[in-house]
């Protein structure tokens, strides 16, 4: 049995979690939209075609903001194709995923779906094949009350009230050669700042995110952020980050350590953004939008393989099936995001349904929760409040994480404490702890010293673990992996002591 301790004080905070930290992502990709959130004719579909079984799971998952319509898809998207009478909308070849996009679901349907799911819509504009003109027209279409060509068109399409979209992404992964009309940092920076300026002239209340690197292992990483922010600094509030964890190397300790590289990534981008501010003697703090993150590696495919399959509508691609071990890594990423609540103000789990997703569906059939559903739902429910600066004492291990994503194969050395933890005070005298035991064979006795809270009792304690780390949920056994009560948690003389199983994700809620 290992021992570890965690100490925190109610007055020592990192920052408040922004509600947008608990976001997710819907892309026109595979069966995320068609057969996922939208399936007219499904037994649970409402009259708009929204699957009510999926909506119920989305509400349970608890995302707060939803990014749309991509992703790679947005870099070739004509938003005008997705509005107006459905019978008049064109089918288009989508060069991001080599699919046919029927355009029967578009911006207005998405906003209606968001209202039904009780989430804030977040839109990305196409800065690949299109430019600032299409972007500003979309802002006018969505947010202008009326009396102009684009806003009146929205009204004629049946949406009298403006959508009031606040959060806008200026393109997607524009540093990636896989992107339609990918750009150098200066080409993108110029295009983004001009688009941002016009979009804001239409609606000064919007918030804008510039594209950061599509991964920390991109060759241009660092220089890209610096140059893009040099152009866009005055016009944007956020810079984006994307990360997908993998276990290609079949090295579980390294896979479990990989969220610690997410910590570094965040801290490096903060440093770059603050460096740009310093050069300008500016007090402005650019915040981070971690608008794609998840585990993803088994279902990555080369473009050449996709081309062979022709141009299907909503093919079942990127349908990653998540195991117990993936849920642990995913939980580690939740902890990394919480612990940077001062600068990461928005984050989107990529994605929502079927495509690298916490929710799976059968077309015409049931919907169920993948293993990664649980840590997200718990983080969204209990992660609201002030993240505390916890002092964690635990043994650590050395790992080398292999990340072949992007143009270069890289090995990242990492020294990972076995216990990874985040602590969030709820503002009513209670506190939630998110605890990941990364030791594969040893349980861990954790002593919790909560200072400045008075006497706390255990209101809720759950563990997510399974003797088979490869265990998954599926339509036949949808709850094989699910949280259970954590029994070994008790009040001791010095505080609370919890015993965590090997390879487990644990959540404690302590209240006065
Ligand atoms: O989420 C899947 C894809 O990953 C997105 O379309 C793209 O932005 C990223 O490369």
């Amino acid at each position: 049995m290992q021992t570890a301790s965690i100490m925190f004080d109610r007055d020592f905070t990192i920052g408040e979690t922004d509600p947008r930290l608990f976001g997710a992502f819907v892309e026109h990709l595979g069966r995320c939209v068609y057969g996922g959130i939208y399936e007219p004719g499904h037994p649970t579909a409402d009259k708009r075609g929204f699957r009510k079984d999926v909506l119920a799971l989305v509400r349970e998952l608890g995302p707060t903001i939803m990014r749309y319509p991509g992703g790679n898809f947005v870099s070739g998207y004509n938003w005008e194709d997705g509005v107006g009478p459905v019978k008049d909308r064109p089918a288009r070849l989508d060069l991001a995923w080599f699919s046919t996009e029927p355009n029967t679901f578009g911006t207005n349907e998405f906003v209606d779906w968001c209202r039904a799911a009780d989430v804030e819509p977040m839109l990305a504009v196409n800065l690949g094949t299109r430019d600032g003109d299409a972007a500003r027209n979309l802002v006018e279409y969505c947010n202008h009350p009326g009396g102009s060509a684009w806003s009146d068109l929205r009204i004629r399409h049946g949406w009298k009230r403006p959508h009031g979209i606040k959060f806008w992404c200026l393109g997607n992964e524009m540093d990636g050669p896989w992107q339609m009309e990918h750009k150098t940092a200066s080409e993108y920076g110029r295009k983004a700042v001009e688009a941002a300026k016009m979009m804001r002239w239409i609606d000064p209340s919007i918030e804008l995110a510039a594209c950061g690197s599509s991964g920390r292992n991109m060759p241009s990483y660092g220089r890209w952020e610096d140059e893009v922010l040099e152009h866009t600094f005055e016009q944007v509030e956020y810079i984006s980050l994307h990360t997908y964890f993998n276990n290609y190397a079949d090295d579980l300790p390294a896979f479990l350590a990989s969220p610690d590289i997410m910590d570094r990534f965040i801290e490096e981008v903060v440093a770059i953004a603050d460096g740009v501010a310093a050069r300008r003697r500016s007090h402005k703090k650019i915040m981070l939008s971690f608008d794609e993150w998840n585990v993803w590696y088994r279902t990555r495919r080369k473009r050449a393989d996709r081309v062979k399959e022709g141009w299907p509508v909503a093919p079942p691609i990127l349908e990653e099936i998540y195991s117990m071990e993936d849920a642990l890594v995913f939980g580690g990423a939740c902890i990394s995001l919480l612990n940077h609540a001062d600068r990461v103000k928005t984050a989107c789990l990529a994605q929502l349904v079927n495509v690298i997703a916490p929710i799976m569906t059968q077309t015409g059939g049931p919907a169920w929760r993948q293993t990664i559903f649980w840590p997200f739902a718990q983080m969204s429910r209990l992660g609201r409040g002030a993240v505390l600066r916890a002092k964690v004492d635990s043994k650590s291990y050395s790992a080398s994480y292999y990340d072949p994503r992007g143009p270069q194969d890289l090995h990242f050395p990492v020294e990972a404490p076995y216990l990874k933890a985040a602590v969030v005070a709820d503002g009513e005298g209670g506190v939630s702890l998110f605890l990941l035991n990364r030791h594969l064979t040893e349980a861990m006795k954790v002593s919790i010293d909560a200072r400045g809270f008075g006497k706390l009792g255990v209101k809720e304690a759950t563990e997510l673990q399974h003797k088979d780390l490869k265990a998954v949920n599926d339509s036949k056994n949808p709850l094989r992996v699910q949280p259970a009560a954590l029994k070994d948690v008790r009040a001791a003389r010095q505080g609370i002591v919890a015993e965590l199983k090997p390879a487990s994700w644990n959540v404690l809620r302590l209240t006065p």
Side-chain angles (χ1 to χ4, degrees):
M1 167 90 70
Q2 316 164 68
T3 56
S5 66
I6 175 160
M7 187 265 275
F8 48 87
D9 189 293
R10 195 173 174 174
D11 286 334
F12 296 166
T13 62
I14 293 172
E16 288 282 324
T17 52
D18 190 302
R20 287 176 175 158
L21 191 63
F22 314 105
F25 176 27
V26 165
E27 177 165 1
H28 282 257
L29 194 185
R31 295 191 310 122
C32 186
V33 172
Y34 305 107
I37 61 172
Y38 174 76
E39 192 182 330
H42 187 273
T44 71
D46 68 12
K47 59 179 187 317
R48 297 168 294 189
F50 302 161
R51 279 184 67 151
K52 285 197 269 188
D53 57 344
V54 172
L55 274 172
L57 286 177
V58 170
R59 287 195 203 97
E60 184 186 328
L61 182 73
T64 48
I65 188 165
M66 200 61 62
R67 185 167 177 250
Y68 173 88
N72 296 340
F73 172 81
V74 79
S75 297
Y77 185 49
N78 299 327
W79 67 264
E80 301 89 334
D81 293 345
V83 296
V86 172
K87 65 173 179 31
D88 298 338
R89 298 188 195 173
R92 298 257 185 218
L93 300 185
D94 161 33
L95 304 188
W97 303 106
F98 285 83
S99 307
T100 299
E101 171 52 52
N103 279 311
T104 50
F105 186 98
T107 305
N108 295 318
E109 290 80 18
F110 173 69
V111 171
D112 281 355
W113 182 86
C114 287
R115 306 296 179 223
D118 200 19
V119 301
E120 178 188 351
M122 169 202 279
L123 291 187
V125 297
N126 175 356
L127 293 188
T129 60
R130 310 230 22 216
D131 52 23
D133 191 43
R136 60 132 175 178
N137 292 343
L138 180 57
V139 175
E140 182 182 321
Y141 180 90
C142 289
N143 287 5
H144 197 66
S148 69
W150 291 110
S151 56
D152 286 347
L153 186 63
R154 182 199 69 242
I155 294 167
R156 281 204 300 284
H157 288 162
W159 282 266
K160 189 163 185 313
R161 284 184 39 217
H163 294 323
I165 313 277
K166 288 285 169 239
F167 198 111
W168 296 79
C169 306
L170 296 164
N172 175 71
E173 295 192 347
M174 296 307 310
D175 62 329
W178 56 86
Q179 209 67 219
M180 283 173 259
E181 296 207 15
H182 122 262
K183 298 188 168 34
T184 64
S186 70
E187 286 166 349
Y188 169 69
R190 284 289 307 133
K191 194 166 185 172
V193 71
E194 289 304 311
K197 193 176 77 183
M198 292 189 289
M199 291 164 76
R200 216 188 275 289
W201 279 343
I202 303 259
D203 181 352
S205 74
I206 61 176
E207 296 167 59
L208 293 162
C211 286
S213 295
S214 50
R216 186 173 177 263
N217 75 344
M218 294 297 287
S220 56
Y221 169 57
R223 281 178 289 111
W224 173 275
E225 280 74 3
D226 192 64
E227 189 162 354
V228 165
L229 283 176
E230 192 53 55
H231 287 287
T232 59
F233 187 86
E234 303 299 343
Q235 284 293 350
V236 303
E237 284 77 25
Y238 305 87
I239 180 105
S240 73
L241 297 83
H242 291 179
T243 284
Y244 291 101
F245 305 102
N246 81 81
N247 191 15
Y248 285 116
D250 196 15
D251 178 347
L252 184 51
F255 187 33
L256 288 169
S258 59
D260 294 21
I261 293 166
M262 187 182 201
D263 292 313
R264 259 187 243 164
F265 187 15
I266 292 169
E267 285 153 25
E268 288 163 357
V269 175
V270 166
I272 296 165
D274 290 351
V276 177
R279 283 206 295 271
R280 311 168 96 89
R281 281 69 164 175
S282 168
H283 289 272
K284 179 172 177 178
K285 278 204 162 97
I286 297 287
M287 296 298 175
L288 273 46
S289 173
F290 216 122
D291 48 39
E292 287 188 32
W293 68 273
N294 200 349
V295 171
W296 175 27
Y297 65 106
R298 301 173 187 93
T299 57
R300 278 188 182 275
R301 288 157 8 125
K302 295 200 174 64
R303 193 168 291 261
D305 294 334
R306 291 187 220 140
V307 177
K308 284 187 213 137
E309 287 158 23
W311 299 93
V313 174
I317 55 174
L318 278 68
E319 300 205 353
E320 194 100 354
I321 305 301
Y322 290 109
S323 64
M324 176 64 221
E325 68 184 33
D326 296 329
L328 296 174
V329 174
F330 185 96
C334 292
I335 290 171
S336 296
L337 290 172
L338 289 170
N339 281 336
H340 292 93
D342 53 336
R343 295 301 288 269
V344 182
K345 292 293 171 189
T346 303
C348 301
L349 153 60
Q351 298 192 4
L352 184 71
V353 188
N354 292 325
V355 171
I356 47 173
I359 298 170
M360 290 300 290
T361 69
Q362 265 172 13
T363 303
W368 63 96
R369 304 165 190 83
Q370 294 232 58
T371 60
I372 60 170
F373 183 100
W374 305 112
F376 188 95
Q378 291 177 313
M379 167 176 77
S380 177
R381 183 166 60 87
L382 297 174
R384 316 292 175 104
V387 183
L388 301 185
R389 201 169 287 285
K391 178 175 181 295
V392 177
D393 279 320
S394 140
K395 275 199 213 135
S396 63
Y397 64 99
S398 305
S400 174
Y401 172 66
Y402 171 62
D403 188 356
R405 187 179 181 225
Q408 47 186 1
D409 278 15
L410 290 177
H411 288 269
F412 296 98
V414 53
E415 184 66 24
Y418 283 106
L419 176 63
K420 189 169 172 79
V423 182
V424 184
D426 63 13
E428 289 165 13
V431 68
S432 295
L433 287 88
F434 302 87
L435 306 170
L436 176 66
N437 179 8
R438 296 193 266 205
H439 205 296
L440 295 178
T441 52
E442 284 183 26
M444 179 187 279
K445 186 181 276 181
V446 183
S447 312
I448 300 162
D449 182 2
R451 301 190 177 173
F453 281 91
K455 197 167 161 40
L456 293 174
V458 181
K459 174 88 176 162
E460 194 179 321
T462 62
E463 61 181 10
L464 187 68
Q465 59 87 38
H466 200 283
K467 58 184 183 315
D468 176 8
L469 288 176
K470 301 289 179 202
V472 301
N473 293 341
D474 53 32
S475 61
K476 293 210 172 62
N477 200 343
L479 294 173
R480 189 181 285 122
V481 179
Q482 62 173 319
L486 172 65
K487 298 208 181 74
D488 291 316
V489 48
R490 61 190 149 71
R493 201 156 49 90
Q494 293 252 288
I496 286 170
V497 177
E499 204 175 302
L500 315 182
K501 299 226 169 73
S504 64
W505 158 263
N506 307 269
V507 179
L508 303 187
R509 176 153 168 61
L510 310 178
T511 52

